[in-house]
Amino acid sequence: MADNSSSGSFKSKWGVSPSDVVYHFGTSGTSVASATAITHPLDVLKVRLQMQLGQLSMRLVKNEGVRSLYLGLMPSLIRSVVYGGLRLGLYEPSKYVCELAFESTNVFMKIASGAFSGAVATALTNPVEVLKVRLQMNTRTGSGPIRELKKISSEEGVGALWKGVGPAMARASVLTASQLATYDESKRVLTKWTSLEEGFYLHLTASTIAGTVSTIMTAPVDMVKTRLMMQRESKGIGSYKNGLHCAYQVLQTEGPRGLYKGGFAIFARLGPQTTITFIVCEKLRELAGLKAL
């Protein structure tokens, strides 16, 4: 009885119970991991495109085999569970706190909540992201996650595992804010102005809109993040002091289009990933007895 009372008190104060937090994290992490497993080959292609290795997909498969499309899959899945669970799981509690603090439910509260949850999730999982990117660019078949992790730590120091964390946090803030706020707001507008009701078709339509908007917003930051994480590994890339310096160098040498290098691969991956994530997440939330996002 004491536990139930404590749980009820916690829920009345924060709007969620401890069990809700577990369900939020679990459904969010599982949905993001599912989407990641399906779209991971496109992520490998995106990273290679951003690192200026042209004629990519056919050459990659021809030279390195189909296995190369799944380089870095294990750290990617681990990161998806933790990062996805935090990124989506923190959104609703953050939005609830913002609404209480500012007594408002407008779209800006949704954007702020998404930016906060994305930044926190990325700061905690950046080492796994660095490991994933390094493995995706590593053509040596004998190198695994543990060996690569030891190599980075011994040769570049533990601090290298947080390389690119600034742009990564900026990207995650922009991604989560644009993705979740757009999805949230699209559902509200679609249910108000169309015949769509809570269910698969509403989730599909809203997630497709969210995927398009988030791709446009995050492509430049994603490219800068990849360049920073790989600059010690790639001889063809200059030395960048920080994210702003990297973006400036790209603009100087490659023009504005350089910031959207690999943009099609980003959309081809992020679009389906966003759709799969939200559809799976909504279904898992329904099964867990949680309300829709």
Side-chain angles (χ1 to χ4, degrees):
M1 291 298 291
D3 289 341
N4 291 337
S5 176
S6 175
S7 177
S9 175
F10 185 95
K11 184 167 185 176
S12 65
K13 182 177 181 180
W14 297 104
V16 292
S17 68
S19 61
D20 286 340
V21 174
V22 174
Y23 285 135
H24 283 310
F25 182 88
T27 55
S28 300
T30 302
S31 61
V32 174
S34 300
T36 297
I38 295 170
T39 61
H40 187 77
L42 293 169
D43 189 46
V44 176
L45 296 178
K46 177 207 71 175
V47 170
R48 295 296 182 93
L49 276 172
Q50 289 172 335
M51 296 308 294
Q52 298 180 306
L53 300 179
Q55 303 296 319
L56 196 56
S57 61
M58 292 302 295
R59 183 187 299 179
L60 187 61
V61 173
K62 181 180 179 181
N63 294 344
E64 302 174 33
V66 175
R67 179 183 176 278
S68 64
L69 293 175
Y70 289 90
L71 289 169
L73 177 60
M74 185 54 66
S76 185
L77 289 174
I78 293 171
R79 177 182 179 275
S80 292
V81 172
V82 181
Y83 169 73
L86 289 170
R87 188 170 71 88
L88 299 185
L90 286 173
Y91 174 69
E92 282 192 284
S94 299
K95 185 173 69 170
Y96 178 78
V97 171
C98 283
E99 289 173 355
L100 280 181
F102 297 97
E103 297 181 351
S104 174
T105 59
N106 62 39
V107 69
F108 296 107
M109 297 299 101
K110 298 173 183 178
I111 293 173
S113 302
F116 171 77
S117 57
V120 171
T122 295
L124 294 174
T125 59
N126 196 75
V128 190
E129 175 72 2
V130 171
L131 182 61
K132 182 201 74 170
V133 170
R134 295 294 181 89
L135 285 172
Q136 287 176 343
M137 287 299 295
N138 191 354
T139 60
R140 294 170 298 169
T141 56
S143 183
I146 302 301
R147 183 181 299 178
E148 190 68 22
L149 185 64
K150 290 180 179 178
K151 178 177 179 289
I152 295 171
S153 299
S154 62
E155 294 182 4
E156 304 173 43
V158 176
L161 294 173
W162 273 269
K163 184 172 291 184
V165 68
M169 288 177 69
R171 175 191 177 274
S173 294
V174 174
L175 170 63
T176 310
S178 60
Q179 198 178 59
L180 287 171
T182 301
Y183 180 75
D184 205 339
E185 196 67 12
S186 294
K187 283 182 65 177
R188 186 187 68 80
V189 172
L190 287 168
T191 53
K192 181 178 181 180
W193 296 105
T194 72
S195 59
L196 290 173
E197 298 179 350
E198 194 65 50
F200 175 77
Y201 292 107
L202 175 63
H203 302 159
L204 176 64
T205 306
S207 61
T208 300
I209 296 170
T212 302
V213 172
S214 57
T215 299
I216 294 170
M217 297 294 292
T218 61
V221 188
D222 188 88
M223 192 281 302
V224 169
K225 180 205 72 171
T226 299
R227 292 287 181 94
L228 284 175
M229 287 181 173
M230 284 304 303
Q231 65 174 330
R232 289 284 294 275
E233 286 284 295
S234 179
K235 297 178 181 179
I237 303 299
S239 179
Y240 306 122
K241 298 175 183 177
N242 50 50
L244 289 176
H245 181 245
C246 178
Y248 175 75
Q249 289 288 89
V250 171
L251 284 171
Q252 286 286 95
T253 59
E254 303 171 44
R257 291 180 63 182
L259 292 174
Y260 280 88
K261 185 162 290 183
F264 177 76
I266 294 173
F267 178 78
R269 172 183 174 268
L270 189 56
Q273 187 186 45
T274 301
T275 301
I276 294 168
T277 295
F278 282 123
I279 289 176
V280 172
C281 189
E282 293 279 25
K283 188 62 180 178
L284 290 175
R285 290 174 70 89
E286 179 187 336
L287 295 173
L290 299 173
K291 68 176 184 178
L293 284 169

